[in-house]
Amino acid sequence: MLPWIRAARVPRTRSLLAALLLALTVLVAPTATASAAPAAEAATSRGWNDYSCKPSAAHPRPVVLVHGTFGNSIDNWLGLAPYLVNRGYCVFSLDYGQLPGVPFFHGLGPVDKSAEQLDVFVDKVLAATGAPKADIVGHSQGGMMPNYYLKFLGGAAEVNALVGIAPSNHGTSLLGLTKLLPYFPGVEKFISDKTPGLADQVAGSPFITKLTAGGDTVPGVRYTVIATKYDQVVTPYRTQFLDGPNVRNVLLQDLCPVDLSEHVAIGTVDRIAFHEVANALDPARATPTTCASVIG
């Protein structure tokens, strides 16, 4: 996930930018490095990141979960990972985009380097499970970053489907705040230097320009995008949608008009979104998604 920023009025712009800078300053300050071992053990105890898991005939591909900006391999998936495990999937999650001295909050490094980490992780999962391909489900940056892996790192040969939940596929304007960066000398450079994963996701950035050149998709991969019109982080929300063959773009409110999930909730707790993820992973057994899916 990118920073959770509520809808802003123009007079509050300076304070919002100042708050963003303060948050980034705290994040890049030296702190103790977190151990990866307890996180891996916590995931295994909840049923995922179990490398002894073998995919079943019903669900023949492992599912790799890719967290968002400021997320990590555990906290982002405390809802969705068990949901999929309980439905018979082998589920794995990784940490990526770590910055030196910054524990817990990941997805802050250059996105192309994060895609290289995903490449290595998928290879590890395929080797452990014996499956020829994996399915990927990602939230926010985690729904966009795999596109780089698919387009430039050979990932299309290893991935059957990519499901993006509120993905920053074409970058974000952060409710228009990014357009104001040139008016605040030094802010843009500070963000780019200290948290390149954020800078890469600004609409029109060199990274987004490279990622989207030549089309949104690659042959051989099924794509699903699940968005909410109340997203206040990846904005405008329709920029999340992809264009191309084998693409299904889903707006939650078309399935359940009273679903009020915003950017964080859609990827972490929204069971209507979870139901759509399950449908995307197994379209042959898909069932209609409605407001009643919250009890499924």
Side-chain angles (χ1 to χ4, degrees):
M1 298 166 283
L2 289 169
W4 187 357
I5 299 177
R6 296 183 182 275
R9 298 185 180 92
V10 173
R12 296 175 56 199
T13 299
R14 288 181 181 272
S15 61
L16 283 171
L17 281 172
L20 177 58
L21 277 175
L22 177 60
L24 293 175
T25 301
V26 170
L27 283 170
V28 299
T31 95
T33 302
S35 169
E41 292 170 2
T44 303
S45 70
R46 291 176 173 87
W48 83 95
N49 281 341
D50 177 2
Y51 285 88
S52 67
C53 185
K54 299 300 179 184
S56 65
H59 301 303
R61 292 176 298 276
V63 178
V64 174
L65 302 179
V66 187
H67 64 74
T69 315
F70 289 106
N72 62 60
S73 62
I74 306 301
D75 294 348
N76 211 139
W77 305 119
L78 291 174
L80 182 58
Y83 181 94
L84 295 176
V85 168
N86 291 340
R87 283 156 179 76
Y89 289 93
C90 292
V91 179
F92 303 86
S93 61
L94 77 157
D95 287 306
Y96 71 87
Q98 300 92 331
L99 291 180
V102 182
F104 307 116
F105 301 102
H106 303 319
L108 298 170
V111 179
D112 57 347
K113 300 302 180 184
S114 294
E116 293 176 6
Q117 291 179 271
L118 175 62
D119 187 6
V120 172
F121 187 80
V122 171
D123 288 345
K124 177 182 176 181
V125 168
L126 295 181
T129 60
K133 288 189 176 184
D135 291 327
I136 294 177
V137 179
H139 180 210
S140 195
Q141 180 188 165
M144 171 275 289
M145 177 268 280
N147 281 323
Y148 190 94
Y149 161 55
L150 297 178
K151 294 183 78 172
F152 302 110
L153 301 178
E158 300 177 327
V159 175
N160 168 72
L162 170 61
V163 183
I165 306 172
S168 50
N169 282 326
H170 298 97
T172 176
S173 71
L174 275 176
L175 292 171
L177 288 180
T178 60
K179 297 179 181 179
L180 298 173
L181 288 174
Y183 299 98
F184 294 83
V187 173
E188 190 167 8
K189 184 178 187 303
F190 179 89
I191 295 173
S192 181
D193 290 347
K194 299 298 184 181
T195 55
L198 290 177
D200 283 346
Q201 291 179 83
V202 173
S205 71
F207 175 84
I208 291 295
T209 299
K210 177 181 178 179
L211 179 66
T212 56
D216 289 343
T217 64
V218 294
V221 178
R222 288 189 295 105
Y223 297 82
T224 302
V225 175
I226 305 170
T228 172
K229 68 180 182 181
Y230 300 113
D231 199 311
Q232 79 286 45
V233 175
V234 180
T235 58
Y237 74 85
R238 291 193 178 277
T239 63
Q240 299 172 24
F241 293 148
L242 296 173
D243 183 30
N246 295 321
V247 171
R248 182 167 184 258
N249 294 313
V250 179
L251 183 65
L252 276 187
Q253 286 72 34
D254 288 341
L255 306 175
C256 178
V258 297
D259 191 322
L260 301 179
S261 287
E262 37 62 65
H263 185 77
V264 176
I266 188 177
T268 57
V269 298
D270 191 312
R271 292 179 70 87
I272 295 172
F274 292 178
H275 189 268
E276 271 302 292
V277 169
N279 282 347
L281 294 175
D282 192 0
R285 298 180 178 86
T287 58
T289 300
T290 68
C291 295
S293 298
V294 296
I295 60 175

